[in-house]
Amino acid sequence: MSILKEHVFVSDLRPITALGAALPRLASFGALEIRENAGLALASLALRRGTVEPTPFGLTLPGPGRWVAGQGVAALWTGPDQWMIEYEGRAELDFAAELKQLAPGCSVTEQTDGWVAFEIVSPAGSRPVEALLSKLVNVDLADFGPGRATRTGLEHMSCFVIRRSDAHIAVLGARSSAGSLWHALETTATRLQER
């Protein structure tokens, strides 16, 4: 009796997105485009007692319910003295180590592989984005303009919703729920398209 052994070499491994593909998913639904943002690096930053609030990458960290952006980098408030820092196009680098250098004395934790980010854009302006939000999350749209961010429930999942501009939102959810989150966005966008 012979035992066959399968050898997997590190060079044979290929990265996949949160949705399980080689390339990020992109789909259009009338006036809405939804894109998996596989290049977004994420790290949490928390102040320790007696630590001065840093300005990583030149960002003044936002207060409750807020999101700020700079040159390819952004931050959203996640709790008292806590933020999630985003850096576009840096998902495959050691972003947390880079952030730690800019935030001495703070607690920094790599978050990139724990989350999925979906960017939702409408070339037709804010109305399609707001219609989608009104069907998915419990957010007061009158007070949810650009620069706002909140943690909320979306179907059975907890996620962050970020208003990047009038016609651009981002939804960050647990990577383990990526398929369910995409399905919820896709189903709602399809229904809005059919109206």
Side-chain angles (χ1 to χ4, degrees), residues 5 27 30 39 61 74-75 87 93 115 117 125 138 140 150 159 168 185:
K5 291 187 178 181
L61 297 172
Y87 204 144
L93 303 174
W115 296 84
N138 186 17
D140 178 8
T150 190
C159 63
H168 182 182
L185 295 171

Side-chain angles (χ1 to χ4, degrees), residues 7 59 68 85 95 124 126 159 173 187:
H7 295 282
L59 288 176
V68 297
I85 311 298
F95 173 58
S126 63
C159 63
T187 300

Side-chain angles (χ1 to χ4, degrees), residues 9-165:
F9 297 97
V10 174
S11 63
D12 294 339
L13 299 177
R14 295 197 178 33
I16 59 171
T17 70
L19 290 173
L23 297 173
R25 190 172 298 174
L26 170 66
S28 294
F29 306 91
L32 290 170
E33 179 181 281
I34 304 174
R35 175 180 59 90
E36 181 183 9
N37 187 351
L40 187 66
L42 298 167
S44 63
L45 177 121
L47 295 184
R48 292 183 188 159
R49 186 176 302 170
T51 304
V52 176
E53 187 173 299
T55 54
F57 307 100
L59 288 176
T60 300
L61 297 172
R66 298 289 179 184
W67 172 82
V68 297
Q71 296 295 325
V73 66
L76 65 129
W77 184 88
T78 58
D81 296 332
Q82 299 174 49
W83 299 268
M84 184 79 79
I85 311 298
E86 307 174 292
Y87 204 144
E88 188 62 49
R90 307 283 288 215
E92 296 193 18
L93 303 174
D94 191 355
F95 173 58
E98 187 177 353
L99 178 60
K100 182 73 175 159
Q101 294 296 315
L102 301 173
C106 293
S107 295
V108 175
T109 306
E110 178 64 45
Q111 298 289 328
T112 304
D113 288 339
W115 296 84
V116 62
F118 296 117
E119 307 290 338
I120 304 162
V121 179
S122 174
S126 63
R127 292 184 78 186
V129 167
E130 290 177 351
L132 182 73
L133 283 174
S134 71
K135 300 290 185 191
L136 288 171
V137 295
N138 186 17
V139 173
D140 178 8
L141 292 175
D143 191 38
F144 199 71
R148 299 296 303 226
T150 190
R151 188 165 202 156
T152 187
L154 193 156
E155 292 195 358
H156 61 283
M157 300 161 283
S158 177
C159 63
F160 288 104
V161 178
I162 304 165
R163 189 77 180 259
R164 298 199 192 281
S165 71

